């Protein structure tokens, strides 16, 4: 029965045209460090209504990131949120955990990544959020459309993507 269920799931995946929602296979933690601009997102509770979001990942000597996220809120005030991102020490793939409030950690999956680390996409195994990030506050529209198509194929509700309102975000 177990083999039948696995086979049925595989067939359904093929017929639906879906791509598995999974992380990238390898992340160079030092290359991922630095500043990222969140250009489009399916927001979380922490960042609903925010715009012009910039996140800085600082890899510390303990092997996790100290993260500072700065954005403008609905009242146009600048606010900063501090958090931590914990890479999986055993695999070095894109499965990470975010911690905004101690001791609670949530899945933070790196699901797509440019070979040169010029852009990245962060998602969640249950499709709860999605962030399309770039090293610059803009991205080529064709590249954006390709990323969105891949995210849609993985099952993300891309119709919920919200612009972070960077001027000229898509070129």
């Amino acid at each position: 029965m177990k083999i039948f269920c696995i086979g049925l799931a595989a067939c359904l995946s093929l017929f639906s045209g879906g791509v598995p929602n999974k992380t990238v296979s390898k992340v160079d933690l030092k290359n991922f460090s630095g500043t990222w601009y969140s250009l489009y997102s399916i927001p979380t509770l922490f960042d609903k209504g925010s715009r012009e979001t910039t996140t800085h990942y600082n890899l510390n000597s303990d092997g996790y990131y100290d993260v500072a996220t700065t954005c403008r809120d609905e009242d146009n005030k600048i606010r900063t949120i501090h958090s931590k991102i914990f890479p999986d020490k055993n695999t070095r793939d894109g499965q990470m955990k975010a911690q905004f409030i101690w001791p609670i950690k949530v899945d933070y999956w790196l699901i797509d990544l440019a070979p040169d680390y010029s852009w990245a996409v962060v998602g969640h195994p249950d499709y709860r959020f999605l962030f399309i990030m770039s090293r610059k506050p803009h991205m080529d529209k064709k590249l954006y459309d390709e990323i969105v198509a891949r995210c849609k194929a993985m099952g993300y509700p891309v119709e919920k993507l919200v612009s972070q309102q960077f001027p000229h975000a898509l070129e």
Side-chain angles (χ1 to χ4, degrees):
M1 182 67 167
K2 186 177 181 181
I3 294 172
F4 173 76
C5 290
I6 292 170
L8 180 61
C11 287
L12 288 175
S13 176
L14 287 173
F15 288 123
S16 68
V19 176
N21 180 25
K22 64 179 186 175
T23 64
V24 296
S25 60
K26 184 171 172 55
V27 178
D28 181 317
L29 298 178
K30 288 182 183 176
N31 282 341
F32 189 72
S33 296
T35 301
W36 291 94
Y37 296 88
S38 180
L39 301 180
Y40 285 83
S41 67
I42 297 174
T44 68
L45 291 175
F46 288 103
D47 53 13
K48 278 194 176 175
S50 65
R51 60 189 172 86
E52 297 177 27
T53 303
T54 304
T55 304
H56 185 78
Y57 295 78
N58 182 38
L59 185 62
N60 65 36
S61 60
D62 292 326
Y64 65 86
Y65 295 103
D66 292 306
V67 182
T69 302
T70 303
C71 64
R72 291 189 180 275
D73 65 17
E74 294 173 310
D75 297 324
N76 204 33
K77 293 180 183 170
I78 295 176
R79 66 182 168 115
T80 300
I81 298 170
H82 294 276
S83 61
K84 296 176 182 177
I85 303 290
F86 297 90
D88 184 335
K89 292 179 182 179
N90 297 321
T91 65
R92 291 292 181 223
D93 66 5
Q95 288 192 33
M96 302 184 198
K97 298 279 187 184
Q99 184 178 67
F100 295 94
I101 300 169
W102 185 87
I104 301 167
K105 293 180 183 175
V106 297
D107 288 311
Y108 190 88
W109 279 15
L110 189 56
I111 61 169
D112 205 354
L113 180 63
D116 64 355
Y117 289 73
S118 61
W119 57 265
V121 182
V122 173
H124 187 273
D126 294 332
Y127 309 95
R128 292 185 182 157
F129 55 79
L130 186 68
F131 299 97
I132 298 174
M133 307 185 312
S134 175
R135 294 293 188 174
K136 299 176 183 176
H138 53 81
M139 177 180 281
D140 179 75
K141 174 137 177 39
K142 182 180 177 203
L143 173 61
Y144 169 79
D145 290 342
E146 291 168 357
I147 292 169
V148 170
R150 286 193 297 273
C151 293
K152 183 176 183 176
M154 283 188 244
Y156 284 91
V158 295
E159 66 279 358
K160 293 181 180 180
L161 281 169
V162 176
S163 169
Q164 284 290 306
Q165 301 175 9
F166 280 101
H168 313 291
L170 296 180
E171 300 178 322

